[in-house]
Amino acid sequence: SQQGEEDPQALSIQEGENATMNCSYKTSINNLQWYRQNSGRGLVHLILIRSNEREKHSGRLRVTLDTSKKSSSLLITASRAADTASYFCATDTPSGYSTLTFGKGTMLLVSP
Amino acid sequence: DAGVTQSPTHLIKTRGQQVTLRCSPKSGHDTVSWYQQALGQGPQFIFQYYEEEERQRGNFPDRFSGHQFPNYSSELNVNALLLGDSALYLCASSVIHLGNEQYFGPGTRLTVT
């Protein structure tokens, strides 16, 4: 079953614009992670934010986490055509050995 | 330093057949997890191996089985293939006690006809 739900399902923007994707989840978490996937191939880890953190930055990426609302957002600033990909949030729940539960993803298209 | 590798890249099988997919984890990683990703969906957790044992299992039937070897590499076996088993199979490796940042391989695309 899917824990996270990304919104929107698809996003189309121009190069240089910012892209914001949201993720909602249902149960308590240890951490939340964002991944990128190009053309149905392997997933690339972007950023991990722990349940006691509220905001994290990595290069052009900014992630926020609101555990009271069970939601997270990923902001990509100054988008480039190379950012075109599907983006997934994944939650790691505090239940024994850690495993990831993914949402359905947001498909981002950045046009030159 | 090689990342996670998977073989084969693509595979076409017929309903009822059996398939074995292989994964070599990133150097220094001791845990391997397998995921199934159907077209247009997010990955779904199949199972996780650590110390050569299945530690966690998702909602998949017993037709899906696996193995981890002493060198931490892993195999995923699927018996009695169904059309619905067609998907991208992803292997991810991690270190068991390091916050579960997982590194994914490129995947094996399985088509069942």
Side-chain angles (χ1 to χ4, degrees), chain B residues 1-4 24-29 93 95:
Chain B
D1 176 27
V4 180
S24 291
K26 183 177 169 63
S27 177
H29 285 188
S93 73
V95 181

Side-chain angles (χ1 to χ4, degrees), chain A residues 42-43, chain B residues 3-7 21-26 31-36 43 46-47 72-76 88-94 102-108:
Chain A
L43 292 150
Chain B
V4 180
T5 60
Q6 292 185 244
S7 63
L21 310 182
R22 295 177 176 82
C23 171
S24 291
K26 183 177 169 63
T31 304
V32 173
S33 302
W34 286 92
Y35 294 82
Q36 180 196 66
I46 303 174
F47 41 54
Y72 307 116
S73 67
S74 176
E75 288 182 350
L76 163 66
L88 180 68
Y89 288 85
L90 295 161
C91 166
S93 73
S94 57
Q102 296 194 9
Y103 291 79
F104 282 79
T108 294

Side-chain angles (χ1 to χ4, degrees), chain A residues 28-102:
Chain A
S28 59
I29 61 172
N30 273 337
N31 61 63
L32 185 144
Q33 303 177 42
W34 285 90
Y35 287 83
R36 185 185 74 223
Q37 185 176 42
N38 292 86
S39 302
R41 298 303 288 171
L43 292 150
V44 174
H45 186 269
L46 296 176
I47 198 164
L48 180 154
I49 186 165
R50 302 193 186 281
S51 60
N52 60 353
E53 297 176 310
R54 292 296 169 258
E55 186 171 315
K56 205 162 183 179
H57 297 254
S58 176
R60 294 184 296 113
L61 306 179
R62 171 178 169 254
V63 169
T64 62
L65 179 64
D66 187 336
T67 53
S68 66
K69 295 181 179 178
K70 292 187 169 56
S71 67
S72 173
S73 68
L74 170 67
L75 168 67
I76 305 174
T77 59
S79 295
R80 306 165 182 168
D83 294 328
T84 294
S86 290
Y87 291 81
F88 294 91
C89 70
T91 52
D92 169 25
T93 55
S95 55
Y97 293 93
S98 293
T99 60
L100 294 177
T101 305
F102 285 83

Side-chain angles (χ1 to χ4, degrees), chain B residues 35-94:
Chain B
Y35 294 82
Q36 180 196 66
Q37 185 178 22
L39 200 61
Q41 301 293 314
Q44 292 213 342
F45 173 71
I46 303 174
F47 41 54
Q48 182 183 85
Y49 277 84
Y50 172 66
E51 291 187 332
E52 302 179 48
E53 290 188 12
E54 182 183 294
R55 297 289 174 154
Q56 234 10 22
R57 188 178 183 94
N59 188 25
F60 280 81
D62 291 345
R63 298 186 298 108
F64 289 77
S65 63
H67 190 77
Q68 185 180 34
F69 299 94
N71 67 353
Y72 307 116
S73 67
S74 176
E75 288 182 350
L76 163 66
N77 301 291
V78 187
N79 295 321
L81 284 167
L82 304 173
L83 295 179
D85 295 331
S86 295
L88 180 68
Y89 288 85
L90 295 161
C91 166
S93 73
S94 57

